[in-house]
Amino acid sequence: MTSQSYTIRPACPEDAEAVTAMWAEMAAQHAGYDVQRWQWAPGADEKWRKHFLEMTGKDDWVALVAVDAEDRAVGFVTAHLRSVAPVFAAERAADIGNLAVTGEHRGRGIGKMLAKAMLEELKARGAEYVTVGVACANDVASRLYENFGFREVMRSMYLRL
Amino acid sequence: MAKEEYTIRPARAEDAQAVTAMWAEMGAEHQQYDPQRWAFAADAGEKQREHFLRTLADQQNGLALTATDSAGQVVGYLMAGVTEPAPVFRTKRRGQIWDLFVRPAHRGKGVGRRLMEAAVDGLKARGAEDLLLRVSADNEAAIEFYRKLGLRLVAHEMYTKL
């Protein structure tokens, strides 16, 4: 078997099904980390699919997919560009929302390719810094971002009321 | 010396100066943790003052509290609000703590805990189902403080300058 080659390209509406399936995989993984913090609404998959379709093509949203040789999406990353609260010196920032690679394609550098392409895109669009929240138990993701120069500046803490 | 009596009360517009001064102290503490992440605008104090006044005006979602000593001096404050998470989440109204600060001379006396307890009541009254906050990763005292109040760590908030 020859090694697969993967390409990164902007997501399009036709990717919605594949991307939603990967989102659902990631959602289940996070519910496993902390079932209260990541407690999903009924019909969350369909809500996410609609959100993806609404956001795709908007100026303040970036979605990239990694595709295999047959142009099937096997990984994706999304980010939101925003203005920074006026107390800060920086004016434009971006938050990475989701980054996922489907199970059988993991360990092949696809996550790195997605992160690299996303950071280049965000820089080109004027973001001065990028943030991402990583579940405490998700060591693989923390290491990936650290390799791109990210550092942990804050921690989030949670309580069900 | 008599034990200091503190009062927790809703913040008022006339607290703006004291709150802004405490915010600046908190900002300076954060700059020691990470000067790049906490690089503030030249007019940050004024922007924070406006943010404080907007929070006071937003009675539906905003919450601002102050702690005063027996002389009526403001020695601590808390700012919080209720936000609506993305529709994929079951939580529809989420309480978030934006700022919590107690002047160093008044720490260790339960002022922060009382501000937080009042904030939880206020957020619940505004319909909050859960509470999410961010704390500097290097602020071990704050992390331990929130842990004692029942909060648990859920995520690392990572940052890189481009």
Side-chain angles (χ1 to χ4, degrees):
Chain A
M1 193 181 124
T2 57
S3 96
Q4 286 249 29
S5 70
Y6 300 97
T7 312
I8 308 297
R9 63 162 172 77
C12 57
E14 290 70 32
D15 297 317
E17 202 178 327
V19 166
T20 302
M22 288 187 272
W23 181 83
E25 224 179 306
M26 186 167 53
Q29 187 180 333
H30 281 73
Y33 294 142
D34 191 314
V35 74
Q36 288 187 326
R37 168 66 183 89
W38 287 285
Q39 187 165 36
W40 305 108
D45 295 6
E46 181 52 25
K47 286 177 177 162
W48 202 87
R49 201 180 74 86
K50 273 169 75 177
H51 168 72
F52 171 82
L53 288 170
E54 273 168 26
M55 297 309 288
T56 300
K58 286 202 176 163
D59 288 347
D60 59 349
W61 157 270
V62 185
L64 304 174
V65 289
V67 294
D68 66 10
E70 279 81 49
D71 201 45
R72 278 186 302 239
V74 300
F76 80 105
V77 58
T78 62
H80 212 101
L81 287 138
R82 61 175 166 93
S83 41
V84 178
V87 295
F88 291 103
E91 290 175 5
R92 296 287 294 165
D95 306 309
I96 292 180
N98 305 110
L99 187 157
V101 176
T102 192
E104 67 265 36
H105 294 271
R106 289 185 187 171
R108 299 177 189 180
I110 299 171
K112 276 184 202 163
M113 288 172 68
L114 284 164
K116 183 170 181 287
M118 179 54 91
L119 293 175
E120 285 167 2
E121 180 65 24
L122 294 174
K123 189 167 187 170
R125 294 208 196 187
E128 294 159 70
Y129 68 81
V130 181
T131 75
V132 63
V134 178
C136 285
N138 195 351
D139 296 331
V140 174
S142 294
R143 271 198 305 276
L144 181 136
Y145 290 115
E146 276 164 8
N147 287 334
F148 282 98
F150 282 80
R151 59 184 182 271
E152 184 198 31
V153 290
M154 285 187 279
R155 291 184 180 171
S156 55
M157 300 184 76
Y158 180 86
L159 178 65
R160 191 102 208 147
L161 294 179
Chain B
M1 198 179 119
K3 194 168 166 247
E4 185 61 83
E5 297 277 347
Y6 296 100
T7 305
I8 310 297
R9 61 161 172 80
R12 303 191 280 249
E14 55 266 34
D15 298 322
Q17 198 179 343
V19 166
T20 305
M22 286 188 279
W23 177 84
E25 265 186 75
M26 183 167 61
E29 281 183 23
H30 281 71
Q31 281 183 324
Q32 292 182 349
Y33 298 137
D34 195 318
Q36 195 175 49
R37 172 66 183 87
W38 305 106
F40 295 107
D43 59 350
E46 182 51 30
K47 297 296 182 194
Q48 176 61 20
R49 213 180 89 86
E50 290 168 9
H51 172 60
F52 169 73
L53 294 172
R54 271 199 308 275
T55 303
L56 287 191
D58 181 2
Q59 296 183 350
Q60 199 179 351
N61 295 317
L63 179 64
L65 302 168
T66 55
T68 53
D69 65 11
S70 46
Q73 295 292 311
V74 180
V75 301
Y77 82 103
L78 180 150
M79 276 171 61
V82 176
T83 59
E84 293 178 4
V88 291
F89 287 99
R90 206 193 75 165
T91 296
K92 297 303 164 211
R93 290 183 59 78
R94 166 162 293 160
Q96 297 198 258
I97 307 293
W98 309 124
D99 296 350
L100 170 58
F101 187 81
V102 176
R103 286 238 146 93
H106 300 273
R107 291 182 188 172
K109 297 175 182 179
V111 178
R113 181 180 49 76
R114 288 181 54 200
L115 280 166
M116 277 296 289
E117 286 167 356
V120 165
D121 289 344
L123 291 168
K124 276 186 179 171
R126 287 164 179 74
E129 299 152 61
D130 61 11
L131 181 63
L132 186 67
L133 61 83
R134 288 171 177 196
V135 55
S136 261
D138 294 313
N139 193 350
E140 285 165 26
I143 292 170
E144 190 49 34
F145 165 80
Y146 290 123
R147 218 194 279 275
K148 281 187 185 149
L149 291 170
L151 286 94
R152 59 183 182 274
L153 291 170
V154 286
H156 305 292
E157 303 297 332
M158 303 181 79
Y159 163 97
T160 189
K161 194 161 169 69
L162 288 183

